[in-house]
Amino acid sequence: GHDLALFHATFQRIPVALDMGDFERVAESLERADELAQRLAQPHFVWLVKMCRTGLIIMRGDIAWAERASAEMLQMGTAIGRRLEATAFYAEQMGEIRRLQGRLGELRDRLRQKAPGPQLDPVHAVLRYLCELDDEAAGPLLDRILAERGLIPPENMAQRSALDNLAFAACRLRRHELIQPLYEALEPQAETFGISAVAHHCGHHY
């Protein structure tokens, strides 16, 4: 029981370190969490640490390593019965990797296919990437999100990243009527760290 409590406590330090922009503390917490997960022999915990480590690698800009790590995360998640979540995380991480490589256009068709199912994308990453591509599917997707889920996301670990992506989309799509309410929702979090889907893959979502 002691190691289990330590694991959760260690994992909960990660969002705080991210908000401070302290990547070294994030890395140290992930190293400690991995040690505890291995000691507990809990594949789900090992996979969560792997997923978050991949997000940190993306933040640090080691794109070649990030691509390999994301593929390993997908394989590991599938092997332990978390295929749905692993596939969603992999898709978002690869979107960010391709964007940083200047190759986001390669994912256009896949992003368009995902657009009809925004309920599977709590941080609105697909919307953001379609906006990055100036794709005509972005506007209808934003309208669907507003109709089905409203503008302001629920207060949970995904909220900051979702707000960032909604604000980005509102600006790119020139939806001026959305700017003020999004600004008011983001203002209280102005001193916290957020970078779209990547931050939530390094702890914000858990």
Side-chain angles (χ1 to χ4, degrees), residues 26-179:
V26 171
E28 291 170 3
S29 294
L30 286 172
E31 184 67 29
R32 177 60 173 153
D34 188 50
E35 292 174 3
L36 291 164
Q38 298 288 349
R39 189 186 304 167
L40 287 163
Q42 291 285 339
H44 174 66
F45 292 164
V46 176
W47 172 66
L48 282 179
V49 173
K50 181 69 173 179
M51 180 266 294
C52 292
R53 274 183 162 163
T54 304
L56 183 61
I57 294 166
I58 296 172
M59 287 182 189
R60 287 177 158 171
D62 192 335
I63 303 305
W65 184 16
E67 191 163 351
R68 293 193 301 272
S70 191
E72 291 169 2
M73 180 278 301
L74 174 62
Q75 184 178 19
M76 184 184 298
T78 300
I80 65 170
R82 305 303 293 266
R83 181 178 179 276
L84 183 63
E85 299 99 316
T87 300
F89 294 151
Y90 176 75
E92 292 183 32
Q93 289 179 343
M94 288 306 300
E96 187 65 13
I97 288 167
R98 291 290 180 257
R99 185 187 73 83
L100 293 170
Q101 291 172 326
R103 298 168 54 194
L104 186 59
E106 296 175 12
L107 302 180
R108 185 187 297 271
D109 290 344
R110 190 175 303 172
L111 290 167
R112 279 172 160 262
Q113 290 171 5
K114 291 179 177 294
Q119 67 276 8
L120 300 178
D121 182 18
V123 298
H124 306 310
V126 172
L127 173 64
R128 176 200 166 195
Y129 292 133
L130 286 172
C131 287
E132 293 266 13
L133 293 169
D134 292 321
D135 193 282
E136 62 184 12
L141 175 56
L142 176 58
D143 289 336
R144 180 168 180 178
I145 289 169
L146 295 176
E148 294 182 1
R149 300 163 66 176
L151 177 61
I152 306 303
E155 293 184 7
N156 55 33
M157 288 294 192
Q159 186 189 53
R160 171 61 198 270
S161 295
L163 285 170
D164 286 347
N165 288 334
L166 287 165
F168 180 87
C171 292
R172 289 294 289 265
L173 297 172
R174 301 182 183 278
R175 297 291 296 271
H176 304 295
E177 76 280 8
L178 305 179
I179 300 299

